[in-house]
Amino acid sequence: WELICAMRKDKQAPVDTMGCDRLGEKGTDYPFQTLIALMLSSQTKDQQTSKTMTKLKQYGLNVDNMAKIQQDQAKRLGESLGTYLRN
C-alpha cells in the first residue's frame, strides 16, 4: 500500500476527481445516485460516467423520476455512454 501511495503522490487520476463517491449530490438521493454512478462506471470511463451523471442530475436523478422516465428520454440522457443499445 505504501508503494501505491508513493507512486500516486504527485499524480492525479480521473477517479480522484470523478469517482463514483463524488458524483452524487449530498442529501437524501446520494445513496441512489451513487448506486447509479457505480452501475454506469462498470461499463464506461470515469469521464463519461461523470458527463452522464451531470445530465441525469439535471433531469432529477431520484427514484421517483427514474421510475417514471420514458425510454426515449432515458436514451437521450444516456447516449454519451455509448452502451445504451448494447445487448
Side-chain angles (χ1 to χ4, degrees), residues 34-75:
T34 302
L35 174 64
I36 297 300
L38 285 165
M39 293 186 329
L40 294 175
S41 74
S42 71
Q43 298 293 318
T44 62
K45 293 183 179 185
D46 293 328
Q47 294 89 335
Q48 290 305 110
T49 300
S50 178
K51 183 177 178 180
T52 300
M53 284 296 293
T54 298
K55 287 181 184 179
L56 288 169
K57 288 185 295 186
Q58 289 171 348
Y59 176 80
L61 182 53
N62 60 53
V63 174
D64 292 333
N65 285 345
M66 293 299 105
K68 296 181 225 172
I69 195 168
Q70 298 295 314
Q71 187 174 5
D72 62 328
Q73 181 66 27
K75 182 178 178 179

Side-chain angles (χ1 to χ4, degrees), residues 71 75 78 82-87:
Q71 187 174 5
K75 182 178 178 179
T83 60
Y84 179 83
L85 295 177
R86 225 188 279 166
N87 290 334

